[in-house]
Amino acid sequence: SVLARVSLLVADELVKRRQKEIRQRAIQAMDGCDDECRLDVFSMYDTDQDGRINKQEMPELLRFLCATRQLEITDADLEFLIREWDEDKTETITQQEFLAGLRQWQATESEQGGR
């Protein structure tokens, strides 16, 4: 039905807005932070110190990157982060994927002019 299609379009737009907000907040949180600083942040949230951020560690990392402790992290947010950054498809984020993901988000925002 038309109503169902419109509902899907609205829901999709809301998801895209949330993902864009997550990207922008992460870029702001890491502004002025070099790779060494970023790896320090990574290590803070890699609680088992295995060199990977797993799904149990990701919510706190996302809350930090979004600069709000009150943010309710959804499964969709975690899937978004994994889809964006998990190059080796292990459903974890390595240090190199973390650095590359942040660089990619910065490049995307620069290209779009922060729109």
Side-chain angles (χ1 to χ4, degrees):
S1 80
V2 172
L3 184 56
R5 284 194 304 264
V6 169
S7 294
L8 284 174
L9 288 173
V10 169
D12 187 53
E13 185 59 33
L14 290 174
V15 167
K16 286 179 183 175
R17 274 193 215 152
R18 181 170 173 95
Q19 291 171 350
K20 182 175 178 59
E21 182 178 358
I22 288 171
R23 275 191 210 101
Q24 289 173 333
R25 286 179 175 229
I27 290 165
Q28 289 171 353
M30 298 277 88
D31 189 41
C33 196
D34 63 10
D35 281 356
E36 184 177 346
C37 171
R38 290 175 181 193
L39 289 176
D40 286 344
V41 168
F42 181 93
S43 291
M44 284 186 342
Y45 294 97
D46 179 16
T47 56
D48 60 9
Q49 296 299 301
D50 67 351
R52 296 178 171 275
I53 301 289
N54 61 44
K55 280 191 174 182
Q56 289 73 40
E57 297 163 327
M58 276 182 217
E60 288 303 315
L61 174 64
L62 266 178
R63 283 187 194 97
F64 171 80
L65 291 175
C66 292
T68 175
R69 305 295 294 166
Q70 296 82 26
L71 182 66
E72 183 65 35
I73 301 298
T74 67
D75 287 342
D77 296 333
L78 298 177
E79 293 305 318
F80 166 66
L81 189 63
I82 289 169
R83 194 173 56 253
E84 291 276 303
W85 289 3
D86 181 24
E87 293 293 319
D88 62 4
K89 307 297 182 218
T90 59
E91 296 204 348
T92 61
I93 307 298
T94 66
Q95 290 179 341
Q96 293 310 309
E97 289 169 336
F98 179 72
L99 293 174
L102 285 170
R103 284 188 203 110
Q104 180 59 44
W105 281 4
Q106 284 179 308
T108 299
E109 283 300 307
S110 292
E111 289 168 7
Q112 295 177 355
R115 282 182 275 144

